[in-house]
Amino acid sequence: MPWIVGVSGASGTPYAAAVLRALLAAGESVDLVVSRASRLTLLDETGISFRDAHWQHDLREWLARGADGKPGTFDVDVSGVRHWSAGDLAAGPSSGSYPVKGMLIVPASTACVAGVALGLSKDLLQRSASVTLKERRPLVVAVREAPLDGRTLRHLVALDDAGASVVPASPAFYAGATHIQDLVDFVAGRVLDAAGVGHDLYRRWRGDLGGARPTT
């Protein structure tokens, strides 16, 4: 069974790319939903146009790009991905009878958070998240916004109460990051930790103070 990965319009498309690469590297299948707003963000952050008719080519180009924008950084096989148009409310993930392991929304905008918390189901991304919650499957929401106002905080509490895991896109520094990709991978790794998917994206805390310092 696949994992659904929803990409909303918040800044942070490198987080989504890192999660997708790690899922595929772990041998997982992915059902991908890229919202209309996220395509604008992707174009702005990477220069890549994500098109339904050419999604495999565009996805391959996206996932090959490092967090620093350098093309050809990664070699990724996207054959394990199935793409669903965000406007297709008859798609497989729109139904609870469609078998999936769960869903990861990365990054999650405040508009996406509100839509899922309120059950609006205005597009396939929100509908898939609502289905994931009602079927009691894992839902991980990687919210990316600052500052957070009271309305968004209440929406996040509602998602937590409904059984979702809320993972702020907030990188830590104890893992010894030396590159922007390390910071991105830390957030992606925490998203996958919340979903129970194995990975080796970051150095885990072992209780050794100073363990992240560079050695000479």
Side-chain angles (χ1 to χ4, degrees):
M1 293 189 294
W3 286 94
I4 304 170
V5 175
V7 186
S8 82
S11 176
T13 54
Y15 294 130
V19 166
L20 288 166
R21 285 193 298 265
L23 284 171
L24 295 173
E28 301 283 354
S29 297
V30 173
D31 276 19
L32 179 63
V33 182
V34 180
S35 76
R36 291 179 62 186
S38 70
R39 298 176 192 221
L40 298 176
T41 307
L42 181 64
L43 180 63
D44 182 56
E45 293 184 344
T46 69
I48 296 171
S49 297
F50 192 92
R51 303 158 295 176
D52 287 343
H54 306 280
W55 70 267
Q56 287 178 310
H57 172 273
D58 298 337
L59 178 64
R60 191 177 298 110
E61 183 182 359
W62 175 25
L63 299 190
R65 199 170 289 251
D68 59 0
K70 183 179 179 181
T73 301
F74 300 98
D75 183 16
V76 183
D77 178 5
V78 300
S79 61
V81 180
R82 181 173 186 177
H83 168 256
W84 300 93
S85 174
D88 185 3
L89 292 177
S94 68
S95 172
S97 66
Y98 183 77
V100 298
K101 291 182 177 180
M103 182 173 184
L104 317 175
I105 305 177
V106 53
S109 67
T110 54
C112 174
V113 166
V116 176
L118 297 174
L120 299 183
S121 295
K122 75 181 185 73
D123 61 9
L124 180 60
L125 195 160
Q126 291 185 13
R127 172 59 185 169
S128 299
S130 295
V131 168
T132 300
L133 288 175
K134 81 178 182 69
E135 296 294 328
R136 301 296 191 267
R137 295 166 181 159
L139 173 65
V140 183
V141 179
V143 62
R144 214 301 310 164
E145 186 56 272
L148 296 171
D149 64 16
R151 292 170 300 175
T152 299
L153 291 170
R154 287 188 286 273
H155 291 149
L156 291 172
V157 170
L159 289 179
D160 179 78
D161 288 343
S165 295
V166 177
V167 180
S170 176
F173 295 87
Y174 64 77
T178 59
H179 189 276
I180 186 174
Q181 188 67 54
D182 299 326
L183 298 175
V184 168
D185 285 347
F186 180 88
V187 172
R190 295 302 287 151
V191 169
L192 295 171
D193 287 345
V197 177
H199 65 87
D200 58 358
L201 288 176
Y202 68 89
R203 172 189 175 274
R204 297 184 180 276
W205 176 250
R206 303 296 183 188
D208 299 322
L209 291 176
R213 293 181 199 154
T215 58
T216 56

